């Protein structure tokens, strides 16, 4: 089943997906005001990136995530795949306060592990709906894989 909305209405929905993802980004940003200095002070593994890298990477990833959701929605409307999409956004939003505000590195690792599973599920569920949507989530999956390894290492070192 595909969405039978006129192209103008489909495009009008894109800002809603951008807004949803932007809210996740803002939630993370608000809860990580001291993240830069806090990150620098942590014992980190040798594969840890420089703090300046996080902003540009997440900006690109959030754009890809928003477009992926919109593409899946524009192909079939609201499906269970978009329920998984919403759940992974909530876990994404929860990670930063767990890690930086609460200093709960173990809970943050549990969160990011579940997030990773939901991103994999999203890729699988988006694939038959709109392959481009699934493919747009792959850089996100790769980054979250790296971030999970970093989270685990920081948890062990601190």
């Amino acid at each position: 089943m595909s969405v039978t909305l006129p192209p103008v209405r489909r495009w009008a929905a894109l800002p809603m997906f951008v807004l949803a993802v932007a809210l996740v980004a803002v939630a993370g940003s608000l809860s990580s005001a001291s993240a830069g200095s806090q990150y620098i002070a942590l014992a980190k593994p040798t594969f840890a990136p420089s703090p300046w890298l996080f902003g540009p990477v997440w900006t690109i990833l959030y754009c890809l995530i928003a477009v992926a959701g919109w593409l899946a929605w524009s192909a079939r409307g609201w499906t269970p795949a978009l329920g998984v999409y919403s759940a992974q956004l909530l876990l994404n939003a929860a990670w930063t306060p767990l890690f930086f505000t609460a200093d709960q590195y173990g809970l943050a690792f549990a969160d990011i592990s579940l997030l990773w599973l939901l991103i994999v599920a999203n890729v699988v569920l988006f694939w038959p709906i709109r392959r481009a949507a699934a493919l747009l989530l792959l850089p996100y999956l790769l980054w979250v894989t790296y971030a999970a390894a970093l989270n685990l290492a920081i948890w062990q070192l601190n």
Side-chain angles (χ1 to χ4, degrees):
M1 174 184 123
S2 91
V3 175
T4 57
L5 294 174
V8 172
R9 294 231 9 237
R10 283 186 189 171
W11 281 100
L14 179 57
M16 301 310 289
F17 283 88
V18 171
L19 178 61
V21 173
L23 289 173
V24 171
V26 167
S29 177
L30 291 175
S31 64
S32 65
S34 64
S37 59
Q38 191 175 353
Y39 179 76
I40 290 170
L42 290 170
K44 293 177 289 305
T46 56
F47 63 87
S50 178
W52 69 265
L53 187 62
F54 291 101
V57 167
W58 275 111
T59 299
I60 293 165
L61 292 175
Y62 283 138
C63 290
L64 295 175
I65 294 164
V67 172
W70 174 74
L71 284 173
W73 173 84
S74 67
R76 296 256 178 95
W78 191 265
T79 65
L82 285 167
V84 173
Y85 176 85
S86 299
Q88 64 84 12
L89 285 178
L90 291 173
L91 286 174
N92 184 313
W95 184 86
T96 304
L98 285 172
F99 191 89
F100 286 109
T101 306
D103 296 326
Q104 293 295 317
Y105 307 130
L107 285 175
F109 181 70
D111 176 274
I112 203 168
S113 297
L114 290 173
L115 173 59
W116 187 89
L117 290 171
L118 287 181
I119 297 167
V120 169
N122 236 167
V123 169
V124 170
L125 292 169
F126 278 6
W127 188 261
I129 294 171
R130 185 87 183 253
R131 286 188 178 145
L135 292 172
L136 285 173
L137 292 179
L138 292 180
Y140 178 37
L141 179 62
L142 291 173
W143 181 259
V144 169
T145 301
Y146 172 68
L150 182 60
N151 184 156
L152 179 61
I154 288 173
W155 180 28
Q156 291 173 338
L157 292 169
N158 294 276

